[in-house]
Every structure is written in C-alpha cells, then in structure tokens.
Short mmCIF file of all heavy atoms in Angstrom, two decimals:
data_model
loop_
_atom_site.label_atom_id
_atom_site.label_comp_id
_atom_site.label_asym_id
_atom_site.label_seq_id
_atom_site.Cartn_x
_atom_site.Cartn_y
_atom_site.Cartn_z
N PHE A 1485 -88.79 -85.40 -6.98
CA PHE A 1485 -87.84 -85.00 -8.03
C PHE A 1485 -87.13 -83.69 -7.68
O PHE A 1485 -86.50 -83.08 -8.53
CB PHE A 1485 -88.58 -84.85 -9.36
CG PHE A 1485 -89.22 -86.12 -9.82
CD1 PHE A 1485 -90.53 -86.41 -9.47
CD2 PHE A 1485 -88.50 -87.05 -10.56
CE1 PHE A 1485 -91.13 -87.59 -9.88
CE2 PHE A 1485 -89.09 -88.23 -10.96
CZ PHE A 1485 -90.40 -88.50 -10.61
N ILE A 1486 -87.23 -83.29 -6.42
CA ILE A 1486 -86.53 -82.10 -5.94
C ILE A 1486 -85.28 -82.52 -5.18
O ILE A 1486 -85.37 -83.26 -4.19
CB ILE A 1486 -87.45 -81.24 -5.06
CG1 ILE A 1486 -88.60 -80.68 -5.90
CG2 ILE A 1486 -86.67 -80.12 -4.39
CD1 ILE A 1486 -89.59 -79.85 -5.14
N ASN A 1487 -84.15 -82.09 -5.66
CA ASN A 1487 -82.87 -82.43 -5.04
C ASN A 1487 -82.70 -81.64 -3.74
O ASN A 1487 -82.74 -80.41 -3.74
CB ASN A 1487 -81.73 -82.10 -6.00
CG ASN A 1487 -80.40 -82.69 -5.55
OD1 ASN A 1487 -80.12 -82.74 -4.37
ND2 ASN A 1487 -79.59 -83.13 -6.50
N SER A 1488 -82.53 -82.36 -2.64
CA SER A 1488 -82.42 -81.71 -1.33
C SER A 1488 -81.16 -80.88 -1.19
O SER A 1488 -81.06 -80.05 -0.29
CB SER A 1488 -82.49 -82.76 -0.22
OG SER A 1488 -81.42 -83.70 -0.37
N ASN A 1489 -80.17 -81.09 -2.06
CA ASN A 1489 -78.93 -80.34 -2.00
C ASN A 1489 -78.99 -79.02 -2.76
O ASN A 1489 -78.02 -78.26 -2.77
CB ASN A 1489 -77.77 -81.18 -2.54
CG ASN A 1489 -77.51 -82.42 -1.71
OD1 ASN A 1489 -77.58 -82.37 -0.49
ND2 ASN A 1489 -77.23 -83.54 -2.38
N GLU A 1490 -80.13 -78.77 -3.42
CA GLU A 1490 -80.32 -77.55 -4.20
C GLU A 1490 -81.50 -76.77 -3.64
O GLU A 1490 -82.36 -77.34 -2.96
CB GLU A 1490 -80.56 -77.89 -5.68
CG GLU A 1490 -79.49 -78.74 -6.32
CD GLU A 1490 -78.19 -77.99 -6.51
OE1 GLU A 1490 -78.22 -76.75 -6.54
OE2 GLU A 1490 -77.13 -78.65 -6.63
N PRO A 1491 -81.58 -75.47 -3.91
CA PRO A 1491 -82.74 -74.68 -3.46
C PRO A 1491 -84.04 -75.28 -3.99
O PRO A 1491 -84.17 -75.56 -5.18
CB PRO A 1491 -82.47 -73.29 -4.07
CG PRO A 1491 -80.99 -73.24 -4.24
CD PRO A 1491 -80.57 -74.63 -4.59
N ALA A 1492 -84.98 -75.49 -3.09
CA ALA A 1492 -86.22 -76.18 -3.47
C ALA A 1492 -87.14 -75.30 -4.31
O ALA A 1492 -87.81 -75.80 -5.23
CB ALA A 1492 -86.96 -76.64 -2.22
N GLY A 1493 -87.20 -74.00 -4.01
CA GLY A 1493 -88.13 -73.11 -4.70
C GLY A 1493 -88.00 -73.11 -6.21
O GLY A 1493 -88.96 -73.42 -6.93
N PRO A 1494 -86.82 -72.79 -6.74
CA PRO A 1494 -86.65 -72.78 -8.20
C PRO A 1494 -86.95 -74.13 -8.84
O PRO A 1494 -87.51 -74.19 -9.94
CB PRO A 1494 -85.17 -72.41 -8.38
CG PRO A 1494 -84.81 -71.66 -7.14
CD PRO A 1494 -85.60 -72.31 -6.05
N GLN A 1495 -86.59 -75.22 -8.14
CA GLN A 1495 -86.86 -76.55 -8.69
C GLN A 1495 -88.37 -76.80 -8.78
O GLN A 1495 -88.87 -77.32 -9.78
CB GLN A 1495 -86.22 -77.63 -7.81
CG GLN A 1495 -84.71 -77.64 -7.83
CD GLN A 1495 -84.15 -78.78 -6.99
OE1 GLN A 1495 -84.15 -79.94 -7.39
NE2 GLN A 1495 -83.67 -78.44 -5.81
N TYR A 1496 -89.10 -76.41 -7.72
CA TYR A 1496 -90.54 -76.63 -7.73
C TYR A 1496 -91.21 -75.86 -8.87
O TYR A 1496 -92.04 -76.41 -9.59
CB TYR A 1496 -91.17 -76.21 -6.40
CG TYR A 1496 -92.68 -76.27 -6.45
CD1 TYR A 1496 -93.34 -77.48 -6.27
CD2 TYR A 1496 -93.44 -75.14 -6.74
CE1 TYR A 1496 -94.72 -77.56 -6.37
CE2 TYR A 1496 -94.81 -75.20 -6.84
CZ TYR A 1496 -95.46 -76.41 -6.64
OH TYR A 1496 -96.82 -76.48 -6.76
N TRP A 1497 -90.83 -74.58 -9.03
CA TRP A 1497 -91.49 -73.78 -10.07
C TRP A 1497 -91.13 -74.27 -11.47
O TRP A 1497 -91.96 -74.18 -12.38
CB TRP A 1497 -91.12 -72.30 -9.90
CG TRP A 1497 -91.69 -71.71 -8.65
CD1 TRP A 1497 -90.99 -71.22 -7.58
CD2 TRP A 1497 -93.07 -71.57 -8.32
NE1 TRP A 1497 -91.84 -70.79 -6.60
CE2 TRP A 1497 -93.13 -70.99 -7.02
CE3 TRP A 1497 -94.26 -71.89 -8.96
CZ2 TRP A 1497 -94.34 -70.72 -6.39
CZ3 TRP A 1497 -95.47 -71.61 -8.33
CH2 TRP A 1497 -95.51 -71.04 -7.07
N LEU A 1498 -89.93 -74.82 -11.62
CA LEU A 1498 -89.56 -75.42 -12.91
C LEU A 1498 -90.44 -76.64 -13.19
O LEU A 1498 -90.96 -76.81 -14.30
CB LEU A 1498 -88.09 -75.84 -12.91
CG LEU A 1498 -87.62 -76.63 -14.14
CD1 LEU A 1498 -87.76 -75.78 -15.41
CD2 LEU A 1498 -86.17 -77.08 -13.96
N LEU A 1499 -90.63 -77.48 -12.17
CA LEU A 1499 -91.47 -78.66 -12.34
C LEU A 1499 -92.92 -78.26 -12.60
O LEU A 1499 -93.58 -78.84 -13.47
CB LEU A 1499 -91.38 -79.55 -11.09
CG LEU A 1499 -90.01 -80.15 -10.76
CD1 LEU A 1499 -90.10 -81.00 -9.50
CD2 LEU A 1499 -89.48 -80.97 -11.92
N ALA A 1500 -93.40 -77.27 -11.86
CA ALA A 1500 -94.78 -76.83 -12.02
C ALA A 1500 -95.01 -76.25 -13.42
O ALA A 1500 -96.02 -76.54 -14.08
CB ALA A 1500 -95.13 -75.80 -10.96
N GLY A 1501 -94.06 -75.43 -13.88
CA GLY A 1501 -94.17 -74.85 -15.21
C GLY A 1501 -94.12 -75.91 -16.30
O GLY A 1501 -94.89 -75.87 -17.27
N SER A 1502 -93.22 -76.87 -16.13
CA SER A 1502 -93.10 -77.96 -17.11
C SER A 1502 -94.35 -78.81 -17.14
O SER A 1502 -94.82 -79.22 -18.21
CB SER A 1502 -91.88 -78.83 -16.77
OG SER A 1502 -90.70 -78.06 -16.77
N PHE A 1503 -94.92 -79.07 -15.95
CA PHE A 1503 -96.15 -79.86 -15.86
C PHE A 1503 -97.29 -79.16 -16.58
O PHE A 1503 -98.08 -79.79 -17.28
CB PHE A 1503 -96.50 -80.08 -14.39
CG PHE A 1503 -97.63 -81.05 -14.16
CD1 PHE A 1503 -97.39 -82.41 -14.13
CD2 PHE A 1503 -98.93 -80.59 -13.96
CE1 PHE A 1503 -98.43 -83.31 -13.92
CE2 PHE A 1503 -99.97 -81.47 -13.76
CZ PHE A 1503 -99.72 -82.84 -13.73
N THR A 1504 -97.36 -77.84 -16.44
CA THR A 1504 -98.41 -77.06 -17.09
C THR A 1504 -98.25 -77.08 -18.61
O THR A 1504 -99.23 -77.26 -19.35
CB THR A 1504 -98.38 -75.61 -16.59
OG1 THR A 1504 -98.57 -75.59 -15.16
CG2 THR A 1504 -99.48 -74.77 -17.24
N VAL A 1505 -97.01 -76.91 -19.10
CA VAL A 1505 -96.77 -76.93 -20.54
C VAL A 1505 -97.09 -78.32 -21.12
O VAL A 1505 -97.71 -78.44 -22.18
CB VAL A 1505 -95.30 -76.55 -20.85
CG1 VAL A 1505 -95.00 -76.76 -22.33
CG2 VAL A 1505 -95.04 -75.10 -20.47
N LEU A 1506 -96.67 -79.37 -20.40
CA LEU A 1506 -96.99 -80.73 -20.84
C LEU A 1506 -98.50 -80.93 -20.91
O LEU A 1506 -99.03 -81.53 -21.85
CB LEU A 1506 -96.38 -81.75 -19.88
CG LEU A 1506 -95.00 -82.31 -20.20
CD1 LEU A 1506 -94.56 -83.25 -19.09
CD2 LEU A 1506 -94.99 -83.02 -21.54
N GLY A 1507 -99.18 -80.42 -19.89
CA GLY A 1507 -100.63 -80.53 -19.87
C GLY A 1507 -101.27 -79.83 -21.04
O GLY A 1507 -102.21 -80.35 -21.65
N MET A 1508 -100.76 -78.65 -21.37
CA MET A 1508 -101.30 -77.90 -22.50
C MET A 1508 -101.16 -78.69 -23.80
O MET A 1508 -102.09 -78.78 -24.60
CB MET A 1508 -100.60 -76.55 -22.62
CG MET A 1508 -101.08 -75.70 -23.78
SD MET A 1508 -100.26 -74.09 -23.84
CE MET A 1508 -98.56 -74.60 -24.14
N VAL A 1509 -99.98 -79.28 -24.00
CA VAL A 1509 -99.71 -80.02 -25.24
C VAL A 1509 -100.55 -81.30 -25.31
O VAL A 1509 -101.24 -81.56 -26.31
CB VAL A 1509 -98.21 -80.36 -25.34
CG1 VAL A 1509 -97.95 -81.28 -26.53
CG2 VAL A 1509 -97.39 -79.09 -25.47
N LEU A 1510 -100.52 -82.10 -24.25
CA LEU A 1510 -101.19 -83.40 -24.28
C LEU A 1510 -102.71 -83.25 -24.22
O LEU A 1510 -103.44 -83.98 -24.91
CB LEU A 1510 -100.69 -84.27 -23.12
CG LEU A 1510 -99.21 -84.65 -23.20
CD1 LEU A 1510 -98.78 -85.43 -21.96
CD2 LEU A 1510 -98.94 -85.48 -24.46
N ASN A 1511 -103.20 -82.32 -23.40
CA ASN A 1511 -104.65 -82.11 -23.35
C ASN A 1511 -105.18 -81.54 -24.65
O ASN A 1511 -106.29 -81.88 -25.09
CB ASN A 1511 -105.01 -81.17 -22.19
CG ASN A 1511 -104.81 -81.80 -20.82
OD1 ASN A 1511 -104.61 -81.10 -19.84
ND2 ASN A 1511 -104.85 -83.12 -20.76
N SER A 1512 -104.39 -80.68 -25.30
CA SER A 1512 -104.80 -80.16 -26.61
C SER A 1512 -104.86 -81.28 -27.64
O SER A 1512 -105.75 -81.31 -28.50
CB SER A 1512 -103.83 -79.07 -27.08
OG SER A 1512 -103.86 -77.95 -26.22
N ALA A 1513 -103.92 -82.21 -27.55
CA ALA A 1513 -103.94 -83.38 -28.44
C ALA A 1513 -105.20 -84.21 -28.21
O ALA A 1513 -105.81 -84.71 -29.16
CB ALA A 1513 -102.69 -84.23 -28.22
#
C-alpha cells in the first residue's frame, strides 16, 4: 500500500500509526 512514486517513509509511518490506532480500538472492543 506504499506508492512507489511518493516518499516511502511518511507513507510507512502513516500506515503504522493507523494500524496502531485501529488495533487500540478493535482490541479494546
């Protein structure tokens, strides 16, 4: 889900942060 035409770093950290927030919500449920 990382677009090769865009900087990879910011995309990765966005995905990682989103994955963590999703985990917090769903695991808490």
Side-chain angles (χ1 to χ4, degrees):
F1485 299 91
I1486 294 178
N1487 192 324
S1488 59
N1489 296 320
E1490 305 290 338
Q1495 292 183 77
Y1496 173 81
W1497 293 117
L1498 173 62
L1499 297 180
S1502 301
F1503 189 84
T1504 301
V1505 172
L1506 267 178
M1508 179 178 64
V1509 173
L1510 295 176
N1511 290 155
S1512 296

